[in-house]
Amino acid sequence: MRLLLQLLAVAVVGLVGGQAAVAADWNTVLTLVIGVATAVLSLVVYRWVVSRTEKRAPAEVAAKGAVRATALGLLIGLGWYFAVISNITFLGYYKVEGFGSAAGPIAFLGFTAAAAVTEEVLFRGVLFRVFEERVGTWISLLVTGALFGVWHLSAGVWGAIATALAAGGLFAAAYAATRNLWLPIGLHFAWNYAGGGIFGTAVSGQDAPKGLLDGVTSGPTLLSGGDFGPEGSMYTIGFGLLLTAAFLWVARRRGRLVPVRGSQAKAKALT
């Protein structure tokens, strides 16, 4: 029951915020305000519903250490994107045709904040965490990673597969290693914003205003990502899997991997 209540509470915020963003039609100020408000409200509602359904203060969204963890996530996410786009550029499949716009990156800031926070709260804060208590870290990572891919199925089958492989496991591993949502939120935000807000590429197959740069991708889908954006590139998947392995190694070193059996008590002790 708590799984359903937590999912519904946060999903309602995300749905209302998403519809409001659509109605704003990429108006710079409105999209920024709606996006930031949706992100903040998602965290507030998550904290409230977890405290009510689990009778605990959710340490995974505690204010202590939030800035540092988010900043680290931002740095890793930006590094991940730069590594991918550099390789695609080297092959000649990404080119900058000029500067984009000043307003686009501002609006995309709000859009990205809402998407990154609500998705991390739903998939890592609720689904991964609750599943992990019952089936352990590894199975929960695989299941929720696959569900995260299905969440992006509207952009095509390959996009969903690439998302599951590159990001679904990575964001869960980042949570497992740190036991907070701030680092995966920063990581998720940085990847999306670097793509749409800075380099002007498609993000999860979605159309958006031009970023700081007017970027164009071309070439084979497996290398450039095609219409889905660089998220669909094998470079993204490769670097994403490496980062996933690194976070899981950290989680193992810190004793934060939850086994399949007897997992519930240990998972609760970690959060």
Side-chain angles (χ1 to χ4, degrees), residues 109-169:
L109 187 69
F111 179 85
T112 306
V117 173
T118 55
E119 288 183 4
E120 289 312 304
V121 169
L122 282 171
F123 283 92
R124 263 56 69 175
V126 180
L127 288 174
F128 174 79
R129 181 178 59 81
V130 175
F131 284 176
E132 186 187 38
E133 293 177 5
R134 291 163 171 74
V135 298
T137 301
W138 292 100
I139 296 177
S140 182
L141 185 147
L142 293 173
V143 171
T144 58
L147 290 175
F148 192 59
V150 172
W151 181 260
H152 293 80
L153 193 58
S154 61
V157 175
W158 173 245
I161 294 172
T163 298
L165 292 173

Side-chain angles (χ1 to χ4, degrees), residues 26 77-78 81-82 85 94 96 98-113 115 187-217 227-231:
W26 289 109
L78 288 173
Y81 195 91
F82 290 160
I85 204 68
Y94 171 78
V96 176
F99 288 104
S101 70
I106 298 175
F108 201 71
L109 187 69
F111 179 85
T112 306
L187 181 56
H188 192 156
F189 177 91
W191 171 270
N192 284 8
Y193 192 77
I198 299 176
F199 289 95
T201 63
V203 177
S204 300
Q206 297 181 0
D207 293 326
K210 290 182 179 180
L212 288 175
L213 302 176
D214 183 8
V216 177
T217 56
D227 294 337
F228 191 70
E231 287 167 274

Side-chain angles (χ1 to χ4, degrees), residues 44-79:
V44 171
V45 169
Y46 174 77
R47 177 184 287 275
W48 174 79
V49 73
V50 169
S51 64
R52 291 294 296 270
T53 57
E54 299 184 14
K55 309 301 180 184
R56 68 178 181 88
E60 62 271 21
V61 288
K64 183 178 180 180
V67 173
R68 181 179 178 180
T70 305
L72 180 58
L74 290 171
L75 288 174
I76 296 172
L78 288 173

Side-chain angles (χ1 to χ4, degrees), residues 235-260:
Y235 287 115
T236 303
I237 295 173
F239 286 121
L241 290 174
L242 287 174
L243 286 170
T244 301
F247 276 119
L248 288 174
W249 178 81
V250 172
R252 182 175 180 275
R253 286 289 299 267
R254 293 176 175 177
R256 291 176 173 171
L257 292 180
V258 179
V260 175

